[in-house]
Amino acid sequence: MLDIPFTIGGRSFHSRLMVGTGKYRDNETMARAIDASGAEIVTVAVRRVDLDRTKEEGVLYHLDAKRYFLLANTAGCYTAEDAIRYARLAREAGFNEFIKLEVIGDQETLLPDVQGLLVAARTLVAEGFKVLAYTNEDLVTALRLEDAGCAAVMPLASPIGSGLGLLNPFGVRTIKRRLKVPVVVDAGVGTASDACLTMEQGVDGILMNTALAEARDPVAMARAMRLAVEAGRTAYLAGRMPKREVAMPSSPLEGMLD
Amino acid sequence: MNDTVDVTVNGEPRAVARGATLLELLESLALDPRAVVVEHNRTIVRRPTLGAVTVAPGDAIELVHFVGGG
């Protein structure tokens, strides 16, 4: 079955799985897990250089810039102003004009501040950024982000790092149905079945980090996630059977013995 | 005669040579200019001009790069 190309901001990708680079026990495990995931889009964060340990290898040392498309984020930003500042710094680092925009509104849940998100999205779009906006599963916010010119909208499955899976399939499905820009579920996927169920909603892709980094075997989990994303996407395209409240025999009723 | 000026680098007070450029500051910290982005008093300084901007007393300088994140 032929799938449509997965295109964000004018760039096409084969893999619908995007992965983060945070929280791995070591860089070598990270690199092997990302390899096993088949992901092409890999997220990174912008932080101060550690001036006391400048000999330490940075995360980029372990990622082939020719193979992976680096997507910087504004993780940790609580205001539109901060997120804009981080996005500009990320672009200056020289990889591309794409930014995964996060404006966090609450420390405990890391849920987005949708007002700050919209302000930052409009400013960054006007500056030529391709904005992938991390948001909640609220349709109206997603529509506003699309109107603001975002290249993709990224509703959460559940809170960042929670691993609670897809809590609101209806909300995510509705966003996908109503938006024209790609919808990529970001955050909350915990295991392969979560990824499969998420892709079965028809969304364009999934971004995950903790589910791989905190798995007992991140490399094996990365492979499971790759298969789950493919399985969920293929099942969505195949079109599932209708649900019924009664049984329907699978074997013929005719030809039974007297 | 004081041959250094007091600035803030990544939130920490630091004395740098008077008249030093941002490029010289990076060299003194053993940082590759291609691997960091420099923000000088809230303004990003592009790589080609790092050698043309002189550090002044009280300046706030941020040196950032990419780290693991989701």
Side-chain angles (χ1 to χ4, degrees):
Chain A
M1 175 172 292
L2 281 178
D3 197 352
I4 53 171
F6 174 43
T7 303
I8 293 184
R11 279 182 174 262
S12 288
F13 300 95
H14 302 290
S15 173
R16 291 173 179 273
L17 174 57
M18 313 175 191
V19 297
T21 54
K23 297 191 282 191
Y24 282 91
R25 67 176 75 101
D26 55 65
N27 283 330
E28 199 228 329
T29 305
M30 175 195 76
R32 287 174 52 228
I34 293 173
D35 178 53
S37 77
E40 296 159 280
I41 300 176
V42 174
T43 64
V44 291
V46 176
R47 290 293 181 271
R48 283 172 167 165
V49 172
D50 183 355
L51 295 177
D52 299 325
R53 297 192 308 173
T54 53
K55 296 298 178 195
E56 192 182 63
E57 295 162 352
V59 68
L60 296 184
Y61 182 84
H62 298 269
L63 298 170
D64 180 356
K66 291 189 188 71
R67 175 173 175 188
Y68 298 116
F69 182 83
L70 290 178
L71 174 62
N73 68 29
T74 65
C77 292
Y78 279 79
T79 64
E81 185 188 14
D82 274 352
I84 292 164
R85 184 185 185 195
Y86 275 67
R88 288 170 179 163
L89 288 166
R91 179 161 66 176
E92 201 56 36
F95 291 95
N96 55 61
E97 70 280 25
F98 286 63
I99 189 76
K100 192 194 116 175
L101 179 63
E102 290 184 26
V103 181
I104 301 301
D106 177 64
Q107 265 187 330
E108 183 192 277
T109 59
L110 299 180
L111 289 172
D113 175 340
V114 298
Q115 290 189 17
L117 187 62
L118 280 163
V119 169
R122 289 189 188 107
T123 301
L124 292 171
V125 168
E127 291 183 11
F129 282 89
K130 304 278 176 65
V131 176
L132 289 71
Y134 165 72
T135 182
N136 55 32
E137 74 277 47
D138 175 64
L139 172 65
V140 177
T141 304
L143 289 168
R144 298 287 177 273
L145 289 165
E146 184 176 61
D147 289 345
C150 288
V153 173
M154 308 182 87
L156 53 80
S158 48
I160 295 168
S162 71
L164 290 173
L166 184 62
L167 297 182
N168 186 356
F170 168 76
V172 165
R173 204 162 58 234
T174 304
I175 289 171
K176 175 54 200 170
R177 182 164 58 78
R178 292 288 302 276
L179 267 60
K180 295 179 193 69
V181 297
V183 174
V184 176
V185 168
D186 179 12
V189 166
T191 189
S193 54
D194 297 337
C196 194
L197 182 67
T198 299
M199 290 306 295
E200 286 174 14
Q201 309 310 310
V203 298
D204 298 278
I206 304 180
L207 170 51
M208 63 179 72
N209 185 343
T210 311
L212 305 187
E214 286 190 2
R216 193 177 65 238
D217 183 342
V219 180
M221 184 58 85
R223 179 167 179 271
M225 289 296 192
R226 176 171 64 77
L227 295 169
V229 166
E230 287 179 14
R233 177 67 185 173
T234 307
Y236 168 73
L237 293 173
R240 62 154 299 148
M241 62 162 282
K243 291 183 182 180
R244 303 183 183 94
E245 297 287 322
V246 292
M248 289 271 282
S250 302
S251 306
L253 296 176
E254 302 81 30
M256 298 291 292
L257 304 180
D258 287 332
Chain B
M1 287 297 289
N2 193 344
D3 56 359
T4 63
V5 295
D6 293 324
V7 299
T8 305
V9 180
N10 285 3
E12 301 289 334
R14 191 171 280 266
V16 304
R18 185 176 297 278
T21 65
L22 291 171
L23 190 61
E24 287 163 347
L25 171 64
L26 292 182
E27 283 166 4
S28 73
L29 295 167
L31 291 174
D32 182 348
R34 292 166 300 178
V36 296
V37 176
V38 180
E39 194 194 62
H40 180 232
N41 297 331
R42 288 275 183 156
T43 301
I44 293 172
V45 180
R46 315 198 75 162
R47 254 161 234 150
T49 53
L50 287 172
V53 178
T54 305
V55 176
D59 279 358
I61 297 152
E62 297 285 353
L63 308 173
V64 303
H65 65 164
F66 285 145
V67 301

